[in-house]
């Protein structure tokens, strides 16, 4: 079948389409139907089925003869080690950890926060939760204690599973002081913290802490607990307009069905093939494509602890692809920009045989044409951009390489996948003509596996996604669709920026800057960056009477964001300005500031209060190398 037929088959009978896809999953009790719409516009899938995520990702492969197949390869150029875990070993390890959690009183529906670097134990912790129906919430290691505290208070975990440290090039990031700091800050206190001691740094243990191995000693392994199809598998926090992160809920049944479907149809791998997503378990790409999807589908997944450059060089990716015979490779464009900057002629790739690789998949941020063309040239494989979000958990718009590789139009992530009726709407919610720019929305219901709600925040879910365009899911992205149905993503419609494929809230950074005692008012914008796509820049107006050196104040602002949000915010640029440009009604003109910073033409906003302020903004930006 070709793409068009598959898409039309879904369109004409979504119920049959998803019930058929659900047959690839092992259910303890088969669902009687796919869609549950009694509570529309809140939709759920496979609610009356019973299923276990860990059984589908691990046990069933052992039962079906894949026990000796490698499930996880841990390749860590940062420590110089490579290790492999078979499906049978994974089953033993996960059942043991799950048993220990159960013995400690963690059961179905309890939350467990996982704060771990790129080690296989991070996946084991996720799967152990899934095994007993506990809901995990993985927090990315690059976040500061305060961000972790916010997540602890929202998720209210019974247990936290952490490692003693993460490893950044040239720097050991001690997790335990961050974890202890977060628990001190949080109102909610977990009952136990399980700590994986890594040899690079031994964490100091308190009474609340227990060593990963000691925790599991003498405890009976746990069996898989069947859960309802709509039982939350995990909560993953992502950035929104404000500093309070949104807890995206992932329902178990739909997530298993949809992720499994994507492995062949989008990534074109068969069970047994090696699949590699170079991301981090703290992001949705890590949840879906380092942990769950490859394992559900019986693939071998790679947990890579390193960077595209500097660990040890710009050939690391090629070495991993060659050494482990990777079939499909997925990463963010920023990683390729980093490699291209170090090795523009692609000298490193010549040292490795990457002939087993079939395609490169890029997502997480805009894939710029230069990067795509460069990657195509040096790798000699098709490069597929695809577009999705934490909220959806998998591709909304992509190139279904396993069904039919459609012609690539550089600059477009290609076409809507089955399940997603993607449309461009104007401010009133009317559908726009081809090639007209508007808000990108998806007609409800969203397909299985996408978010049914936000954790503890149904109102916020409705406000953030459903209210603007009744009957649609608002993606927060703007763009257009051409006459062939190809989508183009142009910008965000909210205050979210994308730094090195990481989604960050400028509103959250503004909240931190506003907390500086000398700052009266502030704005943070995302400016274009050659490597990371975007970088945050802060503008601060000082409180009357403050006459300390501006350099001291901006340095403190930078430090404050690093301490409060974390190094991942990459907030390094701040300037002091007299005033911020605003509309007459007081709205800060952030969009215009971005255009000035990027030296782009812009139309003077008709509602601007005082156009002269824009010259002051331009001058301030020039002092930090922007607005040339
Ligand atoms: N734990 C602790 N700190 C972390 C971290 C982690 N897991 N991940 C990143 N950081 C720190 C970095 O050390 C850096 O600190 P610094 O300011 O002291 O240098 C800071 O956070 C910013 O990190 P990053 O934006 O990743 O920049 P970088 O300069 O270290 O690396 C790239 C740049 C492009 C090489 C890197 O971003 C990359 O490999 N990106 C791949 C894309 C990706 O994984 N995207 C995820 C979504 S698909
Ligand atoms: P996240 O939830 O962190 O995965 O971020 C999702 C956001 O990243 C999207 O809403 C887009 O703004 C952006 N994004 C993801 N993939 C792409 C892509 N292929 N092209 C352009 N932007 C993308």
């Amino acid at each position: 079948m070709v793409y068009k037929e598959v898409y039309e088959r879904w369109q004409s009978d979504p119920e049959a389409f998803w019930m058929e896809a659900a047959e690839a999953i092992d259910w303890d009790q088969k669902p009687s139907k796919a869609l549950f719409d009694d509570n529309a516009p809140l939709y759920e899938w496979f609610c009356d089925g019973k299923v276990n995520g860990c059984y589908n990702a691990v046990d069933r492969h052992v039962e079906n003869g894949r026990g000796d197949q490698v499930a996880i390869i841990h390749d860590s150029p940062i420590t110089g080690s490579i290790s492999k875990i078979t499906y049978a070993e994974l089953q033993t390890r996960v059942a043991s950890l799950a048993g220990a959690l159960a013995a400690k009183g963690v059961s179905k529906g309890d939350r467990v926060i996982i704060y771990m670097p790129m080690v296989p134990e991070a996946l084991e912790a996720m799967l152990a939760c899934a095994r007993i129906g506990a809901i995990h919430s993985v927090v990315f290691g690059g976040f500061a204690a305060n961000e972790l505290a916010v997540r602890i208070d929202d998720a209210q975990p019974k247990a936290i599973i952490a490692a003693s440290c993460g490893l950044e090039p040239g720097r050991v990031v001690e997790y335990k002081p961050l974890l202890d700091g977060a628990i001190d800050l949080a109102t909610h206190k977990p009952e136990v913290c399980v700590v994986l001691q890594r040899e690079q740094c031994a964490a100091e243990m308190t009474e609340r802490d227990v060593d990963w191995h000691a925790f599991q000693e003498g405890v009976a392994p746990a069996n898989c607990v069947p859960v309802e199809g709509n039982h939350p598998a995990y909560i993953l926090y992502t950035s929104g307009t404000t500093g309070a992160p949104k807890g995206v809920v992932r329902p178990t049944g739909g997530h298993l069905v949809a992720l499994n479907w994507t492995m062949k149809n989008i990534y074109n791998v068969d069970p047994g093939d090696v699949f590699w997503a170079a991301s981090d378990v703290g992001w949705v790409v890590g949840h879906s494509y380092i942990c769950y999807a490859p394992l559900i589908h019986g693939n071998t997944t790679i947990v890579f602890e390193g960077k595209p450059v500097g660990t040890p060089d710009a050939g690391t990716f090629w070495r991993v692809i060659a050494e482990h015979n990777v079939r499909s490779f997925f990463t963010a464009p920023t990683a390729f920009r980093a490699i291209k900057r170090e090795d523009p002629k692609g000298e490193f790739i010549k040292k490795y045989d990457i002939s087993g690789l079939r395609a490169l998949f890029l997502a997480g941020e805009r894939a710029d044409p230069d990067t795509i063309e460069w990657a195509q040239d040096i790798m000699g494989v098709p490069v597929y951009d695809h577009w999705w979000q934490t909220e959806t958990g998998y591709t909304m718009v992509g190139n279904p390489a396993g069904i039919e590789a459609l012609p690539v139009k550089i600059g477009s992530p290609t076409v809507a996948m089955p399940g997603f009726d993607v449309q461009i709407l104007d401010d009133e919610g009317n559908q726009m003509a081809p090639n007209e720019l508007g808000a990108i929305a998806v007609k409800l219901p969203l397909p299985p596996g996408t978010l049914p709600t936000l954790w503890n925040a149904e109102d916020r879910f409705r406000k953030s996604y459903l209210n603007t365009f009744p009957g649609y899911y608002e993606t927060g992205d703007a763009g257009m669709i051409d006459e062939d149905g190809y989508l183009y993503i142009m910008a965000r419609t909210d205050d979210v920026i994308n730094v090195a494929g990481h989604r960050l809230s400028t509103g959250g950074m503004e909240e931190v800057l506003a907390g500086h005692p000398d700052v009266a008012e502030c704005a943070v914008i995302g400016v274009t960056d050659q490597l990371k796509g975007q970088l945050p820049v802060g503008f601060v107006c000082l409180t009357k009477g403050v006459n300390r050196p501006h350099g001291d104040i901006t340095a403190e602002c930078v430090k404050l964001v690093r301490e409060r949000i974390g190094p991942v915010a990459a907030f390094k640029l701040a300037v002091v300005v007299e005033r911020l440009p605003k509309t007459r009604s007081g709205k800060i003109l952030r969009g215009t500031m971005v255009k000035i910073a990027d030296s782009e033409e812009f139309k003077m906003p008709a509602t601007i209060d005082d156009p002269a302020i824009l010259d002051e903004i331009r001058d301030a930006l020039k002092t930090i190398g922007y607005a040339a």
Side-chain angles (χ1 to χ4, degrees):
M1 254 204 265
V2 295
Y3 157 76
K4 208 164 170 288
E5 286 165 356
V6 176
Y7 191 81
E8 280 169 7
R9 202 158 57 85
W10 160 72
Q11 253 181 335
S12 65
D13 193 349
E15 184 72 20
F17 183 91
W18 291 118
M19 283 305 272
E20 191 190 311
E23 280 172 25
I25 293 305
D26 284 359
W27 299 85
D28 293 274
Q29 182 184 304
K30 282 198 189 252
S32 67
K33 59 176 184 162
L35 180 66
F36 287 70
D37 58 2
D38 332 346
N39 209 9
L42 306 185
Y43 296 92
E44 293 197 287
W45 295 87
F46 305 118
C47 300
D48 65 1
K50 287 274 180 74
V51 70
N52 182 277
C54 181
Y55 178 79
N56 277 279
V58 184
D59 300 60
R60 67 165 173 166
H61 301 309
V62 179
E63 289 168 18
N64 294 338
R66 287 191 185 279
D68 293 335
Q69 183 193 312
V70 173
I72 303 175
I73 299 172
H74 183 226
D75 189 309
S76 170
I78 220 157
T79 61
S81 69
I82 295 175
S83 57
K84 296 180 181 177
I85 299 171
T86 65
Y87 271 103
E89 288 162 348
L90 185 62
Q91 185 185 35
T92 307
R93 292 164 71 134
V94 170
S96 164
L97 180 62
L101 286 168
K104 198 73 197 168
V106 177
S107 60
K108 185 181 162 207
D110 287 337
R111 273 80 58 213
V112 175
I113 279 189
I114 300 172
Y115 189 52
M116 297 183 99
M118 288 296 286
V119 290
E121 287 85 349
L123 276 61
E124 290 169 18
M126 295 161 83
L127 294 163
C129 290
R131 194 170 188 87
I132 54 174
I135 303 166
H136 64 69
S137 187
V138 183
V139 179
F140 177 62
F143 282 124
N146 182 61
E147 290 287 320
L148 181 54
V150 169
R151 288 155 174 79
I152 292 173
D153 274 337
D154 196 64
Q156 311 228 326
K158 204 169 219 179
I160 296 184
I161 306 180
S164 59
C165 63
L167 304 172
E168 285 294 289
R171 179 162 69 99
V172 173
V173 183
E174 290 189 34
Y175 279 14
K176 194 60 189 346
L178 294 169
L179 174 60
D180 290 343
I183 297 174
D184 283 347
L185 284 171
T187 313
H188 173 84
K189 310 289 175 196
E191 286 171 26
V192 62
C193 293
V194 184
V195 181
L196 175 76
Q197 295 280 19
R198 300 190 73 190
E199 63 182 61
Q200 293 77 13
C201 137
E204 246 179 66
M205 304 289 269
T206 66
E207 259 183 24
R208 188 176 46 217
D209 306 325
V210 46
D211 171 79
W212 170 277
H213 298 286
F215 184 59
Q216 299 180 46
E217 256 162 40
V219 172
N223 288 326
C224 295
V225 174
V227 300
E228 298 73 24
N230 58 345
H231 179 71
Y234 67 78
I235 306 163
L236 178 58
Y237 289 90
T238 189
S239 300
T241 300
T242 67
K246 299 173 180 171
V248 167
V249 173
R250 185 80 56 221
T252 305
H255 143 89
L256 293 170
V257 171
L259 288 187
N260 184 67
W261 185 90
T262 63
M263 288 305 285
K264 178 65 193 170
N265 293 295
I266 296 179
Y267 299 104
N268 199 15
V269 286
D270 293 310
D273 287 345
V274 180
F275 179 86
W276 179 26
S279 176
D280 188 286
V281 281
W283 307 116
V284 69
V285 176
H287 280 63
S288 292
Y289 291 105
I290 295 173
C291 184
Y292 286 107
L295 296 179
I296 294 164
H297 195 246
N299 291 100
T300 298
T301 186
I302 299 183
V303 174
F304 173 73
E305 188 177 35
K307 301 264 173 176
V309 293
T311 59
D313 54 40
T316 308
F317 276 9
W318 321 133
R319 198 260 312 152
V320 173
I321 293 168
E323 192 162 341
H324 306 303
N325 195 23
V326 172
R327 285 280 178 205
S328 280
F329 176 42
F330 178 172
T331 193
T334 191
F336 270 79
R337 291 196 295 268
I339 298 172
K340 184 175 160 219
R341 198 165 70 165
E342 295 253 312
D343 180 22
K345 296 212 176 87
E347 297 296 343
F348 276 105
I349 202 167
K350 295 177 189 153
K351 298 188 202 163
Y352 301 96
D353 174 9
I354 64 156
S355 57
L357 187 74
R358 287 207 216 105
L360 166 67
F361 295 85
L362 297 175
E365 55 166 336
R366 194 177 98 85
D368 53 290
D370 277 0
T371 303
I372 296 187
E373 281 162 4
W374 183 80
Q376 274 172 347
D377 276 358
I378 68 153
M379 296 175 80
V381 296
V383 177
Y384 300 123
D385 182 13
H386 57 325
W387 170 72
W388 49 291
Q389 308 178 307
T390 304
E391 287 84 345
T392 63
Y394 60 99
T395 310
M396 287 187 276
V397 167
N399 200 324
I403 301 173
E404 176 194 11
L406 297 171
V408 169
K409 292 195 193 183
I410 289 185
S412 165
T414 315
V415 294
M417 291 297 97
F420 295 94
D421 179 355
V422 180
Q423 299 187 12
I424 307 296
L425 305 180
D426 68 13
D427 289 348
E428 277 72 51
N430 304 310
Q431 228 175 303
M432 301 186 72
N435 300 310
E436 281 183 2
L437 189 64
I440 308 175
V442 184
K443 199 148 185 6
L444 294 174
L446 290 179
T450 57
L451 83 171
T453 188
L454 292 174
W455 184 253
N456 281 338
E458 191 183 301
D459 270 2
R460 190 173 181 199
F461 173 68
R462 288 175 188 269
K463 272 192 211 127
S464 305
Y465 304 107
L466 305 182
N467 289 359
T468 310
F469 303 117
Y472 290 86
Y473 164 80
E474 183 185 4
T475 66
D477 285 320
M480 59 191 191
I481 297 178
D482 73 9
E483 48 292 307
D484 298 325
Y486 279 57
L487 178 76
Y488 294 79
I489 313 287
M490 310 307 281
R492 286 289 299 188
T493 57
D494 56 12
D495 296 327
V496 165
I497 59 171
N498 199 310
V499 180
H502 309 140
R503 176 166 155 186
L504 298 165
S505 161
T506 54
M509 294 184 219
E510 288 176 4
E511 284 169 29
V512 173
L513 297 183
H516 187 289
D518 295 344
V519 172
E521 202 181 9
C522 63
V524 174
I525 59 168
V527 301
T528 301
D529 180 73
Q530 288 296 326
L531 175 66
K532 298 193 177 186
Q534 282 183 300
L535 271 185
V537 172
F539 297 82
V540 294
C541 304
L542 302 185
T543 312
K544 247 200 170 119
V546 171
N547 56 4
R548 300 173 52 220
H550 289 178
D552 289 0
I553 296 172
T554 51
E556 287 160 15
C557 287
V558 168
K559 191 159 165 266
L560 206 57
V561 174
R562 195 175 171 97
E563 279 167 8
R564 302 275 299 187
I565 297 178
V568 67
F571 182 85
K572 298 199 168 142
L573 298 168
V575 285
V576 173
V577 290
E578 279 295 312
R579 303 170 294 171
L580 293 169
K582 291 184 184 167
T583 62
R584 282 189 286 276
S585 60
K587 202 168 166 280
I588 299 172
L589 290 160
R590 293 184 183 77
T592 310
M593 293 163 81
V594 172
K595 290 236 155 66
I596 295 174
D598 292 347
S599 312
E600 276 179 27
E601 298 224 345
F602 65 92
K603 235 173 72 195
M604 183 64 69
T607 55
I608 192 164
D609 188 36
D610 179 358
I613 301 179
L614 295 181
D615 294 328
E616 294 169 25
I617 294 293
R618 185 177 289 111
D619 291 343
L621 279 162
K622 280 187 178 153
T623 65
I624 53 166
Y626 286 86

